[in-house]
Amino acid sequence: MRIGLIGTGRIGSFHAGVLSGHRDVGALVVADADASRAAEVARRTGATAVPSADEVFSGGVDAVVIASATSSHAALIGRAARAGLPVFCEKPVSLDLPGTLAALREVETAGSILQLGFMRRFDAGYTAARERVRSGALGRLHTVRAITSDPAPPPAAYLSLSGGIYRDCLVHDFDMVRWVTGREVVEVYATGSDAGPAMFREAGDVDTAAALLTLDDGALATATATRCNGAGYDVRLELAGDLDQISVGLDDRTPITSTEPHGPAPAGAPWPGFLERFAPAYAAELDAFLKVARGELANPCDGREALHALRIAEACELSRRARRPVRLDEDELVTG
C-alpha cells in the first residue's frame, strides 16, 4: 500500500516510524507545514517528503493518516472523504460539535472510512478489563475510577489550541468508560482548578480537573486529570463490582508509593509519557487501520464513537463553567 501521512510532529513522527516498517506499506509519503521537519522524518524513515498535503492527495496514495494540527483535521477528513480515501485521524475530529458533525456528514455522504485514534482501545490492559467486565466476572459494576496524570505541563502555546483538559486529555478516559463498560454517560458534574502555572489561567483552561459521570445503569464513574503530576506519568482505570475489583495501569512503573508499613515496594522508573506507555497500542491501531482500509477488518473506532466521547467532554466543560450538573441530552450537546 502507498500511504500518505500529513503531520510529522511528535505523534506523526512516531506514526511514520511504524508505517515505514510495516510489512503492508510499500511506500510512505509525508508532508508537514514545517517542510524541514517533514524532510528530516523522511530521511530517518525512508519515506518521501512532499511540499504540502496537496501533493499527498495527488500522489496516488491508497489511504491517508492525519496527525497534523487539530485545526486542520476536519478539512482534511472532508478532503479524504471526497477523494474516496480511507483515513485515520488522531483525535479529535474538531474542537467543537458543529465542526465534528459537519466532517462526519461528509464521511457518511461519501460512504468512506474514518478511523479515529483512540489508542487505548488497543492496549492489552484495557482490552483485558473490557473482557472481564463484559464476561460478568466483576458482577454488577457499581464504581469506575479513571485517572490520567501528566508529569509536566505541555508548552504554553499548545494550551490555546488544545481545546482544554476535558477535550484534549480526559476525552481518552471518557472513551474508555464507554468502551470498557458498554454503558452510556447520561449526566456529568465537573470542576477544575487553575491554581498551578499561570499559563493555564491565561488560556482559560485548568491544570487539574475532576468529573463525576452517571452511567445509564446507575453506576458512577469518576474521571480525574492533572498536568502537574511530579511523580510521573500515571494512567489507570479501576473498576469495582459486587463480585470483584480490577485495575488497568497498575504495574512496576506506576508512580505511586504506599505509606503502609507492609505495603508494596516503591515502583521503578515511571513511563516518561504517553508515547512510551502506549507505543504497542499506537502500532496496533495503525495495523488495524491498514486492515480496515483493505476491507479485512471492521472499523474498530469510527467517527461516531469519537463524537460520543467529545459530547461528554463538552458536557464537562459546560458543567465546569456553569457550576451545575449537565445531562447529555441537553439540546446544545445533541445538535451542536
Side-chain angles (χ1 to χ4, degrees):
M1 299 178 71
R2 183 176 174 84
I3 305 297
L5 170 65
I6 302 172
T8 57
R10 182 166 54 163
I11 188 61
S13 176
F14 181 89
H15 288 336
V18 171
L19 290 167
S20 64
H22 196 283
R23 62 188 178 281
D24 295 326
V25 177
L28 178 65
V29 180
V30 301
D32 192 281
D34 183 339
S36 62
R37 186 165 65 182
E40 172 56 25
V41 169
R43 183 198 62 76
R44 180 168 49 79
T45 62
T48 299
V50 294
S52 70
D54 291 341
E55 284 75 13
V56 171
F57 284 104
S58 64
V61 297
D62 300 302
V64 175
V65 173
I66 299 172
S68 52
T70 295
S71 59
S72 68
H73 288 186
L76 290 171
I77 288 170
R79 189 169 183 179
R82 293 189 296 274
L85 292 171
V87 60
F88 173 93
C89 184
E90 283 299 330
K91 61 83 186 166
V93 173
S94 173
L95 286 179
D96 58 36
L97 284 174
T100 299
L101 291 167
L104 296 185
R105 282 193 292 270
E106 287 213 67
V107 172
E108 291 172 359
T109 298
S112 57
I113 293 168
L114 168 62
Q115 180 181 327
L116 262 292
F118 281 105
M119 77 292 184
R120 295 186 195 181
R121 292 182 177 222
F122 298 87
D123 177 74
Y126 284 99
T127 299
R130 185 177 194 261
E131 292 169 355
R132 291 287 298 277
V133 170
R134 302 298 183 93
S135 73
L138 275 62
R140 179 185 65 84
L141 189 67
H142 53 73
T143 306
V144 181
R145 293 178 287 269
I147 300 166
T148 293
S149 300
D150 289 332
Y158 175 79
L159 292 178
S160 61
L161 306 174
S162 71
I165 198 168
Y166 296 106
R167 300 183 189 94
D168 178 56
C169 183
L170 276 169
V171 71
H172 283 289
D173 298 276
F174 301 150
D175 182 61
M176 283 299 95
V177 168
R178 295 185 61 251
W179 188 74
V180 171
T181 68
R183 313 305 308 191
E184 296 296 343
V185 175
V186 296
E187 185 178 82
V188 309
Y189 189 81
T191 188
S193 170
D194 63 3
M199 64 182 183
F200 289 95
R201 293 186 291 280
E202 293 164 0
D205 196 8
V206 294
D207 59 81
T208 302
L212 173 63
L213 317 175
T214 301
L215 308 188
D216 58 10
D217 63 349
L220 298 179
T222 58
T224 63
T226 183
R227 304 286 200 179
C228 304
N229 198 54
Y233 185 69
D234 185 12
V235 171
R236 281 176 281 142
L237 182 70
E238 300 170 354
L239 303 114
D242 55 13
L243 295 180
D244 202 0
Q245 166 168 254
I246 58 175
S247 177
V248 179
L250 183 61
D251 59 21
D252 60 2
R253 300 189 72 168
T254 305
I256 190 166
T257 301
S258 173
T259 60
E260 296 297 327
H262 303 294
W271 296 106
F274 66 90
L275 275 179
E276 295 82 5
R277 164 65 177 85
F278 290 107
Y282 278 116
E285 71 176 353
L286 287 178
D287 180 71
F289 172 62
L290 296 176
K291 290 184 173 68
V292 170
R294 295 198 303 270
E296 299 172 1
L297 183 71
N299 193 338
C301 188
D302 65 20
R304 289 289 163 182
E305 292 295 290
L307 178 61
H308 287 301
L310 176 61
R311 279 187 168 133
I312 299 169
E314 290 282 330
C316 286
E317 185 60 32
L318 176 57
S319 175
R320 179 181 77 86
R321 292 183 181 279
R323 294 182 175 272
R324 66 173 177 86
V326 173
R327 290 191 56 83
L328 269 292
D329 58 5
E330 293 190 13
D331 286 347
E332 63 185 283
L333 298 173
V334 175
T335 64

